[in-house]
Amino acid sequence: MNKPFAITLDVRSSLANHTGMWRSERPVYTAGLPPCQHACPAGEHVQAWLYAAEDGSYESAWRRLVQDNPFPAVMGRVCYHPCETACNRAELDSAVGINSVERFLGDRAIDAGWRLPDAAPATGRRVLVVGAGPCGLSAAYQLRRLGHEVHVHDAGEEPGGMMRHGIPTFRLPRDVLDIEIARLADLGVTFCMNSKVTDLRETMRAGGFDAALIAIGAQLSRRAYLPAGQASRVLDALSVLGSVADGERPGLGRAVVVYGGGNTAMDAARTARRLGADDAVVVYRRTQAQMPADRQELDEALAEGVRIKWLRTIAAVGEGSLTLEKMTLDEAGLPQPTGEFEELAGDAVVLALGQDVDRSLLDTVPGLRVVDGVIEVDEAMMTGSPGVFAGGDAVPTDRSVTHSIGHGRRAAVAIDSWLRRQDPPAQRQERDPVPYSGLNTWYYSDAPRSVRPRLEAARRTDTFGEVVGGLDEDTALFEARRCLSCGNCFGCDNCLGVCPDNAVIKLDGANHYAIDLDYCKGCGLCAAECPCGAIEMVPEES
Amino acid sequence: MTQTAKFYQVGSRAVGNRLLPLDQRTEQANPERRNALTSGHRACQGCGEALAARYVLDAAAHAVGGRLVTVNATGCLEVFSTPYPESAWQLPWLHSVFANAASVASGVAAGLRTTGRGDIRVLAQGGDGGTVDIGFACLSGMFERNDDVLYVCYDNQAYMNTGVQRSGATPGGARTATTEAVGAEPGNLFGIGKDAARIAIAHDIPYVATATVAELHDLEAKVRKAMSIRGARYLHVLVPCPLGWGSATSETVRLARLAQRSGLFPVIEAEGGVVTSALPIRGRVPVEEYLRPQRRYAHLFRGEGRPDLVARVQRLADQNIVRYGLLDEES
Ligand SMILES: Cc1cc2nc3c(=O)[nH]c(=O)nc-3n(C[C@H](O)[C@H](O)[C@H](O)COP(=O)(O)OP(=O)(O)OC[C@H]3O[C@@H](n4cnc5c(N)ncnc54)[C@H](O)[C@@H]3O)c2cc1C
Ligand SMILES: Cc1ncc(C[n+]2csc(CCOP(=O)(O)OP(=O)(O)O)c2C)c(N)n1
Ligand code: SF4
Ligand code: SF4
Ligand code: SF4
């Protein structure tokens, strides 16, 4: 008798019994749409690069990130991070500090000298990009990667657009910007600076370009008529910020009034403080709730001693002082004058009332339509002029670096199809992002959000040095690991463990799993116990 | 502020975790796990008992280098795993009758010892009926003699194999085939039945523990500890049963978790007759959250419901929380 110890009967293994036949539903591994990715205007695959960062593979994380956005170090400083607003973790304790991890990766890449992947073999196609702001640069990067020859023409001396001429250095140090832009030159993007395009079709013809992208931003400061005496100084925010960015230190006086309620107003007021103003006052016609400025920008400004006058308009500007009119909100929430006035000291008034798109170039492009002051584009970012695309602040959009980068990427994809005489890739079917309720949050550990170091408020007003610091490596790793991995397997082995029928197989010892349908009875335990909702139960066809 | 990244999203709460050192993952995350109870068994979809048996035996076999024999009482676990000529067991396995698993295991242990094979360890297992009722005398004897056996009771709170009859482990208020949801006190009576773990502790045996299928790290640690000790040991595992409890097949683990989080099922450890640890409740829930998804309690919520009976169940949970200090180190 040659039988195993303690076994007396001839047996067959139960493996002969295919209990998978009982099943009416089968588990399927899915990759859901994480809310962060859904919310990112640049289209970053946030969960995917956080996943890579979680095991310390910072370079792979950075490489995943730059597939969608070539400027992580810039973005990790200036993005208003709608991803964090959407992050599911906010419901558990607080959102993942996506933006601070992004900055960590961006800075790591700079320190380590990581290079962008090489361009694809040359296609022989040439694309003209007008404007070296984030939109133009993002498009140039994507087009270059695809192997096209890309020439970026910009009227300015150096590339960067508002990232260079608008955003103050205390939020975005220029060496960071320079390095990230220099990578595009290394990749083979041709920069033609000091070259304002005045006739698009002519420039395209002369340069033999097959397509063009208009990414000229909104460069014209909006003015307001202010009855002003001779001596008073009325400036616009963009020229003040632009000259400071160029290294000048214009004296604005001791009391500076900034007119407007957006981010530009905040930057102008914070800059005024650094230029020596004892009192920097923002005058805004509406209330805080209606203010377009990012909450964090407002907080930083307040921390630096900037004062805000809500519900006020400037009625007149005199010498060393100005007259404000108090406003009140009507039922529709619109500010209405009250006829009540007050005086405010002010040596200079800085207007930050928004920007308009310069039409002079646009009017040279046949077929291109301008509606409400911005360029009309279709789904694929193409204007009414075939082969001419547009994006960034010059088209209808929320105006931000992040949106512009997203436009640039989308336009590049569409231009690429256009060059290859193909239809632009079909808009991906809108999927719903994975909801918080789709997670089994029991499994996640409590972990409070990390906070970035900040320059002490008292020390900020005498330096243009960076205010917000980066996370150290341990903290960045911790923060990355707070990600719940919404809708995407992160290799926790729960499914492998909880199946009463051993029907989950781990492939290659790696974090890939499969269902053994010979034995899966379709109980749904694996799906229910997957922390991140990466398994879906789908009915079997009978 | 510097944070040290010592955890990975799920810390050590999940089965594995790709970033946890291998030795801190569970045996179930080991791609080479034994699968002591393999696929093709005929347990219901989502069976908690099948799940727990594999959890326990894989961990026990791993702890003793595979030198393990198991003795099984009659019950679902035996019936669904061995319809002749099929067996789902991938380790030496013996079945005799309903009542005597503990005695057979004692005999196997004695036989192994006298033939000089004391390195082979013995694990007896059975359902709650086989353990707290019909096999109870044999079990108590095994405890008293301090026989070198780990006895594991998979508690699905009724005689499931024969059609959900009440056992000494059926909780108050639960409907079974023999405690129907009729009359003034529908379902099982309150105040009867047995708390097998406490009875085992009262035998002053070297090791007694309770566990659930929802806390795998805890369960495996207890099995490992039990296998490191010689003498009589008892492990009582709560295993939800979708059929008998009237719950969704996908809810098996969640219900076990809610049983612990409500305080109804205290997860504890005792050595030599003294309680030495209790798993603190993380996120306490009212018993109602645990009872509602189970059809065996549907009569407590139908129409106007029976808040008085739900309150009685809640009192039992509250008592456990006090008895074992389950909220002391709430984390
Ligand atoms: C003060 C300020 C602060 C801001 N802060 C933030 C922030 O913190 N975060 C954020 O996300 N967004 C911020 N923004 C908004 C953001 O900077 C813009 O939305 C973004 O830069 C727009 O990108 P763009 O590529 O469309 O255009 P731009 O950045 O405006 O670049 C356009 C470029 O086109 C060039 N150009 C224009 N016309 C021609 C022509 N005819 N020929 C050749 N070149 C031409 C210009 O010289 C310029 O370089 C801020 C804006 C301002 C003004
Ligand atoms: C002496 C004896 N009485 C009755 C039975 C019938 N019987 C077989 S299994 C079973 C119920 C087992 O219940 P339990 O031990 O709780 O295990 P479960 O099936 O619930 O896992 C019964 C009553 C039997 N096999 N032997
Ligand atoms: S938890 Fe992670 S995957 Fe989910 S939304 Fe937040 S960052 Fe994205
Ligand atoms: S736990 Fe197992 S049996 Fe249940 S659905 Fe998942 S793979 Fe199938
Ligand atoms: S349970 Fe864990 S391992 Fe399985 S799919 Fe979900 S995240 Fe991945």
Side-chain angles (χ1 to χ4, degrees), chain B residues 96-112:
Chain B
S96 120
V97 295
F98 197 10
N100 68 357
S103 302
V104 172
S106 294
V108 172
L112 287 167

mmCIF file with all atom_site columns, all heavy atoms in Angstrom, chain B residues 96-112:
data_model
loop_
_atom_site.group_PDB
_atom_site.id
_atom_site.type_symbol
_atom_site.label_atom_id
_atom_site.label_alt_id
_atom_site.label_comp_id
_atom_site.label_asym_id
_atom_site.label_entity_id
_atom_site.label_seq_id
_atom_site.pdbx_PDB_ins_code
_atom_site.Cartn_x
_atom_site.Cartn_y
_atom_site.Cartn_z
_atom_site.occupancy
_atom_site.B_iso_or_equiv
_atom_site.pdbx_formal_charge
_atom_site.auth_seq_id
_atom_site.auth_comp_id
_atom_site.auth_asym_id
_atom_site.auth_atom_id
_atom_site.pdbx_PDB_model_num
ATOM 1   N N   . SER B 1 96  ? -14.211 10.669 12.331 1.00 0.00 ? 96  SER B N   1
ATOM 2   C CA  . SER B 1 96  ? -14.833 9.471  12.898 1.00 0.00 ? 96  SER B CA  1
ATOM 3   C C   . SER B 1 96  ? -16.327 9.727  13.065 1.00 0.00 ? 96  SER B C   1
ATOM 4   O O   . SER B 1 96  ? -17.097 9.388  12.185 1.00 0.00 ? 96  SER B O   1
ATOM 5   C CB  . SER B 1 96  ? -14.086 9.060  14.163 1.00 0.00 ? 96  SER B CB  1
ATOM 6   O OG  . SER B 1 96  ? -14.856 9.050  15.273 1.00 0.00 ? 96  SER B OG  1
ATOM 7   N N   . VAL B 1 97  ? -16.751 10.373 14.142 1.00 0.00 ? 97  VAL B N   1
ATOM 8   C CA  . VAL B 1 97  ? -18.178 10.671 14.260 1.00 0.00 ? 97  VAL B CA  1
ATOM 9   C C   . VAL B 1 97  ? -18.378 12.098 14.736 1.00 0.00 ? 97  VAL B C   1
ATOM 10  O O   . VAL B 1 97  ? -17.438 12.878 14.853 1.00 0.00 ? 97  VAL B O   1
ATOM 11  C CB  . VAL B 1 97  ? -18.917 9.671  15.176 1.00 0.00 ? 97  VAL B CB  1
ATOM 12  C CG1 . VAL B 1 97  ? -18.909 8.263  14.584 1.00 0.00 ? 97  VAL B CG1 1
ATOM 13  C CG2 . VAL B 1 97  ? -18.316 9.688  16.578 1.00 0.00 ? 97  VAL B CG2 1
ATOM 14  N N   . PHE B 1 98  ? -19.622 12.445 15.003 1.00 0.00 ? 98  PHE B N   1
ATOM 15  C CA  . PHE B 1 98  ? -19.978 13.801 15.368 1.00 0.00 ? 98  PHE B CA  1
ATOM 16  C C   . PHE B 1 98  ? -19.384 14.206 16.717 1.00 0.00 ? 98  PHE B C   1
ATOM 17  O O   . PHE B 1 98  ? -18.822 15.284 16.878 1.00 0.00 ? 98  PHE B O   1
ATOM 18  C CB  . PHE B 1 98  ? -21.516 13.879 15.419 1.00 0.00 ? 98  PHE B CB  1
ATOM 19  C CG  . PHE B 1 98  ? -22.102 15.260 15.389 1.00 0.00 ? 98  PHE B CG  1
ATOM 20  C CD1 . PHE B 1 98  ? -21.330 16.386 15.122 1.00 0.00 ? 98  PHE B CD1 1
ATOM 21  C CD2 . PHE B 1 98  ? -23.466 15.418 15.613 1.00 0.00 ? 98  PHE B CD2 1
ATOM 22  C CE1 . PHE B 1 98  ? -21.919 17.644 15.083 1.00 0.00 ? 98  PHE B CE1 1
ATOM 23  C CE2 . PHE B 1 98  ? -24.053 16.682 15.580 1.00 0.00 ? 98  PHE B CE2 1
ATOM 24  C CZ  . PHE B 1 98  ? -23.279 17.797 15.312 1.00 0.00 ? 98  PHE B CZ  1
ATOM 25  N N   . ALA B 1 99  ? -19.504 13.298 17.685 1.00 0.00 ? 99  ALA B N   1
ATOM 26  C CA  . ALA B 1 99  ? -19.292 13.712 19.064 1.00 0.00 ? 99  ALA B CA  1
ATOM 27  C C   . ALA B 1 99  ? -17.848 13.640 19.530 1.00 0.00 ? 99  ALA B C   1
ATOM 28  O O   . ALA B 1 99  ? -17.488 14.246 20.532 1.00 0.00 ? 99  ALA B O   1
ATOM 29  C CB  . ALA B 1 99  ? -20.150 12.846 19.990 1.00 0.00 ? 99  ALA B CB  1
ATOM 30  N N   . ASN B 1 100 ? -17.004 12.883 18.814 1.00 0.00 ? 100 ASN B N   1
ATOM 31  C CA  . ASN B 1 100 ? -15.774 12.498 19.502 1.00 0.00 ? 100 ASN B CA  1
ATOM 32  C C   . ASN B 1 100 ? -14.479 13.053 18.922 1.00 0.00 ? 100 ASN B C   1
ATOM 33  O O   . ASN B 1 100 ? -13.417 12.473 19.134 1.00 0.00 ? 100 ASN B O   1
ATOM 34  C CB  . ASN B 1 100 ? -15.704 10.974 19.593 1.00 0.00 ? 100 ASN B CB  1
ATOM 35  C CG  . ASN B 1 100 ? -15.520 10.345 18.209 1.00 0.00 ? 100 ASN B CG  1
ATOM 36  O OD1 . ASN B 1 100 ? -15.501 11.060 17.197 1.00 0.00 ? 100 ASN B OD1 1
ATOM 37  N ND2 . ASN B 1 100 ? -15.376 9.035  18.167 1.00 0.00 ? 100 ASN B ND2 1
ATOM 38  N N   . ALA B 1 101 ? -14.542 14.153 18.180 1.00 0.00 ? 101 ALA B N   1
ATOM 39  C CA  . ALA B 1 101 ? -13.313 14.661 17.567 1.00 0.00 ? 101 ALA B CA  1
ATOM 40  C C   . ALA B 1 101 ? -12.214 14.890 18.602 1.00 0.00 ? 101 ALA B C   1
ATOM 41  O O   . ALA B 1 101 ? -11.048 14.549 18.386 1.00 0.00 ? 101 ALA B O   1
ATOM 42  C CB  . ALA B 1 101 ? -13.597 15.954 16.798 1.00 0.00 ? 101 ALA B CB  1
ATOM 43  N N   . ALA B 1 102 ? -12.592 15.446 19.752 1.00 0.00 ? 102 ALA B N   1
ATOM 44  C CA  . ALA B 1 102 ? -11.569 15.749 20.755 1.00 0.00 ? 102 ALA B CA  1
ATOM 45  C C   . ALA B 1 102 ? -10.914 14.470 21.252 1.00 0.00 ? 102 ALA B C   1
ATOM 46  O O   . ALA B 1 102 ? -9.683  14.409 21.422 1.00 0.00 ? 102 ALA B O   1
ATOM 47  C CB  . ALA B 1 102 ? -12.194 16.524 21.915 1.00 0.00 ? 102 ALA B CB  1
ATOM 48  N N   . SER B 1 103 ? -11.719 13.430 21.458 1.00 0.00 ? 103 SER B N   1
ATOM 49  C CA  . SER B 1 103 ? -11.165 12.172 21.963 1.00 0.00 ? 103 SER B CA  1
ATOM 50  C C   . SER B 1 103 ? -10.279 11.512 20.925 1.00 0.00 ? 103 SER B C   1
ATOM 51  O O   . SER B 1 103 ? -9.194  10.995 21.230 1.00 0.00 ? 103 SER B O   1
ATOM 52  C CB  . SER B 1 103 ? -12.276 11.204 22.359 1.00 0.00 ? 103 SER B CB  1
ATOM 53  O OG  . SER B 1 103 ? -13.076 11.810 23.337 1.00 0.00 ? 103 SER B OG  1
ATOM 54  N N   . VAL B 1 104 ? -10.750 11.525 19.662 1.00 0.00 ? 104 VAL B N   1
ATOM 55  C CA  . VAL B 1 104 ? -9.945  10.910 18.611 1.00 0.00 ? 104 VAL B CA  1
ATOM 56  C C   . VAL B 1 104 ? -8.613  11.647 18.520 1.00 0.00 ? 104 VAL B C   1
ATOM 57  O O   . VAL B 1 104 ? -7.547  11.043 18.405 1.00 0.00 ? 104 VAL B O   1
ATOM 58  C CB  . VAL B 1 104 ? -10.694 10.940 17.261 1.00 0.00 ? 104 VAL B CB  1
ATOM 59  C CG1 . VAL B 1 104 ? -9.788  10.471 16.125 1.00 0.00 ? 104 VAL B CG1 1
ATOM 60  C CG2 . VAL B 1 104 ? -11.947 10.069 17.325 1.00 0.00 ? 104 VAL B CG2 1
ATOM 61  N N   . ALA B 1 105 ? -8.678  12.979 18.602 1.00 0.00 ? 105 ALA B N   1
ATOM 62  C CA  . ALA B 1 105 ? -7.454  13.764 18.512 1.00 0.00 ? 105 ALA B CA  1
ATOM 63  C C   . ALA B 1 105 ? -6.524  13.427 19.670 1.00 0.00 ? 105 ALA B C   1
ATOM 64  O O   . ALA B 1 105 ? -5.304  13.283 19.485 1.00 0.00 ? 105 ALA B O   1
ATOM 65  C CB  . ALA B 1 105 ? -7.788  15.256 18.510 1.00 0.00 ? 105 ALA B CB  1
ATOM 66  N N   . SER B 1 106 ? -7.080  13.280 20.867 1.00 0.00 ? 106 SER B N   1
ATOM 67  C CA  . SER B 1 106 ? -6.253  12.902 22.014 1.00 0.00 ? 106 SER B CA  1
ATOM 68  C C   . SER B 1 106 ? -5.552  11.590 21.737 1.00 0.00 ? 106 SER B C   1
ATOM 69  O O   . SER B 1 106 ? -4.367  11.415 22.018 1.00 0.00 ? 106 SER B O   1
ATOM 70  C CB  . SER B 1 106 ? -7.109  12.740 23.277 1.00 0.00 ? 106 SER B CB  1
ATOM 71  O OG  . SER B 1 106 ? -7.661  13.975 23.656 1.00 0.00 ? 106 SER B OG  1
ATOM 72  N N   . GLY B 1 107 ? -6.333  10.655 21.161 1.00 0.00 ? 107 GLY B N   1
ATOM 73  C CA  . GLY B 1 107 ? -5.765  9.332  20.859 1.00 0.00 ? 107 GLY B CA  1
ATOM 74  C C   . GLY B 1 107 ? -4.668  9.426  19.824 1.00 0.00 ? 107 GLY B C   1
ATOM 75  O O   . GLY B 1 107 ? -3.613  8.789  19.947 1.00 0.00 ? 107 GLY B O   1
ATOM 76  N N   . VAL B 1 108 ? -4.893  10.237 18.785 1.00 0.00 ? 108 VAL B N   1
ATOM 77  C CA  . VAL B 1 108 ? -3.879  10.372 17.743 1.00 0.00 ? 108 VAL B CA  1
ATOM 78  C C   . VAL B 1 108 ? -2.598  10.953 18.353 1.00 0.00 ? 108 VAL B C   1
ATOM 79  O O   . VAL B 1 108 ? -1.490  10.477 18.095 1.00 0.00 ? 108 VAL B O   1
ATOM 80  C CB  . VAL B 1 108 ? -4.385  11.272 16.594 1.00 0.00 ? 108 VAL B CB  1
ATOM 81  C CG1 . VAL B 1 108 ? -3.260  11.577 15.609 1.00 0.00 ? 108 VAL B CG1 1
ATOM 82  C CG2 . VAL B 1 108 ? -5.555  10.605 15.859 1.00 0.00 ? 108 VAL B CG2 1
ATOM 83  N N   . ALA B 1 109 ? -2.772  11.959 19.215 1.00 0.00 ? 109 ALA B N   1
ATOM 84  C CA  . ALA B 1 109 ? -1.600  12.587 19.827 1.00 0.00 ? 109 ALA B CA  1
ATOM 85  C C   . ALA B 1 109 ? -0.850  11.575 20.679 1.00 0.00 ? 109 ALA B C   1
ATOM 86  O O   . ALA B 1 109 ? 0.390   11.482 20.634 1.00 0.00 ? 109 ALA B O   1
ATOM 87  C CB  . ALA B 1 109 ? -2.022  13.799 20.658 1.00 0.00 ? 109 ALA B CB  1
ATOM 88  N N   . ALA B 1 110 ? -1.597  10.784 21.447 1.00 0.00 ? 110 ALA B N   1
ATOM 89  C CA  . ALA B 1 110 ? -0.956  9.792  22.314 1.00 0.00 ? 110 ALA B CA  1
ATOM 90  C C   . ALA B 1 110 ? -0.215  8.766  21.467 1.00 0.00 ? 110 ALA B C   1
ATOM 91  O O   . ALA B 1 110 ? 0.916   8.374  21.770 1.00 0.00 ? 110 ALA B O   1
ATOM 92  C CB  . ALA B 1 110 ? -2.004  9.113  23.192 1.00 0.00 ? 110 ALA B CB  1
ATOM 93  N N   . GLY B 1 111 ? -0.880  8.322  20.385 1.00 0.00 ? 111 GLY B N   1
ATOM 94  C CA  . GLY B 1 111 ? -0.266  7.328  19.507 1.00 0.00 ? 111 GLY B CA  1
ATOM 95  C C   . GLY B 1 111 ? 1.017   7.852  18.902 1.00 0.00 ? 111 GLY B C   1
ATOM 96  O O   . GLY B 1 111 ? 2.041   7.148  18.848 1.00 0.00 ? 111 GLY B O   1
ATOM 97  N N   . LEU B 1 112 ? 0.988   9.084  18.425 1.00 0.00 ? 112 LEU B N   1
ATOM 98  C CA  . LEU B 1 112 ? 2.174   9.666  17.813 1.00 0.00 ? 112 LEU B CA  1
ATOM 99  C C   . LEU B 1 112 ? 3.308   9.741  18.829 1.00 0.00 ? 112 LEU B C   1
ATOM 100 O O   . LEU B 1 112 ? 4.471   9.449  18.533 1.00 0.00 ? 112 LEU B O   1
ATOM 101 C CB  . LEU B 1 112 ? 1.862   11.064 17.260 1.00 0.00 ? 112 LEU B CB  1
ATOM 102 C CG  . LEU B 1 112 ? 1.009   11.072 15.984 1.00 0.00 ? 112 LEU B CG  1
ATOM 103 C CD1 . LEU B 1 112 ? 0.492   12.473 15.677 1.00 0.00 ? 112 LEU B CD1 1
ATOM 104 C CD2 . LEU B 1 112 ? 1.809   10.528 14.790 1.00 0.00 ? 112 LEU B CD2 1
#
